[in-house]
Amino acid sequence: MITLIGMGSGTPESLTAQGLAALQNAGLILGAKRLLEQLPQGCTDHRKALYQPEDVLAALAADPEVDAALVYSGDTGFYSGAAQLLPMLRAFGISCRVLPGLSSVQLLAAAVGRSWQEWKLVSAHGCACDPVAECLTAGGKPVFFLTGGAETPASLCGRLAAAGLGDAHVLVGEELGRAEAEIREDTVWYRNGWLEDPEDYGLLDGLVRAAFDAARSAGVKEYFVSGEAAGEYRRAFEVYDYALDQAEELERFFGRHSCKGQSGGF
């Protein structure tokens, strides 16, 4: 018998009462190392840091009489490894049950006091994702991206900004459900990773928007920049020969601040 348990934010406090009881009654607990390190008091010390389906099946075969538990972060039904493991358990005739947990989308919605029932849910966690297509086909609904691995909020925002969606509103939640949780609301182009210090956004905002307002007044409707931020801004201003005073200010700004070279657009 094995119980698959959603551990929410990965802290004991985010466990359901059922999940807590199952963990405290289990004779073997499997899961990612970081989750095993956060187990509540009263749990067995018989723990194995593994969660890949083949490894889980091998561990159960080695100890078939034990009541085991496998912990996942978030909810077992929201882009969880449980989806891959469950059919395998049934195919081998292994008794199992599933206890859901709090998902990241629930934690974010609760943190900002909003309903998430109309959100479009997309995983960018360890898989290919086209954020531009996902947003443009959402029918005006908010799009929730589950990030992880190579895809980060900054990388997604960089691609959205480069596609002309730099003015779109973005809400970023990190370490949700934990004491160190952080929620930020910006436009896409603020979150695309150019600057290391968020306090500099106000200064950059005034400089860049003044320059691009001047460009639009001169008849330039839209212009994208990408690559090394400082160099691209200089070339943009040279090509269109506008707002030279703002360009000089931008060059001085980028000379004083660190840039990450993410793509972006306005």
Side-chain angles (χ1 to χ4, degrees):
M1 171 70 176
I2 182 171
T3 302
L4 311 187
I5 303 171
M7 204 171 167
S9 63
T11 62
E13 294 78 15
S14 65
L15 278 165
T16 65
Q18 280 186 314
L20 174 61
L23 285 173
Q24 292 176 333
N25 291 324
L28 168 65
I29 302 178
L30 312 174
K33 181 180 178 181
R34 64 181 180 85
L35 295 178
L36 297 182
E37 292 174 345
Q38 295 293 320
L39 291 177
Q41 294 182 350
C43 294
T44 180
D45 290 330
H46 188 197
R47 309 172 185 183
K48 293 184 179 180
L50 53 88
Y51 54 87
Q52 295 295 341
E54 296 79 7
D55 296 332
V56 172
L57 292 173
L60 296 177
D63 198 353
E65 301 301 321
V66 71
D67 281 335
L70 171 58
V71 290
Y72 293 100
S73 61
D75 176 45
T76 49
F78 184 62
Y79 297 111
S80 169
Q84 183 180 1
L85 179 61
L86 280 169
M88 301 174 70
L89 292 172
R90 293 169 183 144
F92 281 93
I94 299 174
S95 177
C96 60
R97 63 171 177 162
V98 179
L99 299 179
L102 290 171
S103 67
S104 54
V105 65
Q106 291 172 294
L107 291 169
L108 178 62
V112 296
R114 301 180 188 175
S115 170
W116 60 274
Q117 62 192 23
E118 298 297 327
W119 294 3
K120 179 180 181 180
L121 308 180
V122 179
S123 177
H125 189 287
C127 60
C129 173
D130 184 347
V132 177
E134 296 291 354
C135 290
L136 293 180
T137 58
K141 296 181 179 180
V143 183
F144 175 93
F145 292 96
L146 178 67
T147 60
E151 290 289 12
T152 65
S155 68
L156 294 177
C157 286
R159 291 157 68 185
L160 290 170
L165 301 176
D167 288 331
H169 178 262
V170 62
L171 178 69
V172 179
E174 299 174 305
E175 301 294 340
L176 295 168
R178 295 173 173 267
E180 57 271 29
E182 186 173 8
I183 308 290
R184 293 183 182 179
E185 294 190 59
D186 293 304
T187 57
V188 161
W189 74 274
Y190 271 165
R191 296 296 302 169
N192 69 0
W194 282 352
L195 302 178
E196 293 181 348
D197 186 354
E199 294 182 358
D200 294 327
Y201 289 148
L203 174 59
L204 182 59
D205 177 65
L207 293 173
V208 173
R209 290 190 182 279
F212 276 81
D213 284 346
R216 294 188 181 100
S217 297
V220 179
K221 294 183 178 180
E222 196 170 54
Y223 185 76
F224 298 117
V225 295
S226 61
E228 190 66 27
E232 290 297 319
Y233 273 117
R234 286 196 295 271
R235 282 193 290 275
F237 291 125
E238 289 168 359
V239 168
Y240 288 103
D241 193 27
Y242 62 79
L244 294 181
D245 54 333
Q246 283 89 349
E248 292 171 358
E249 285 297 319
L250 279 172
E251 185 169 354
R252 285 195 290 272
F253 179 91
F254 282 112
R256 297 193 304 270
H257 297 77
S258 174
C259 302
K260 298 180 181 179
Q262 299 287 343
S263 62
F266 296 85

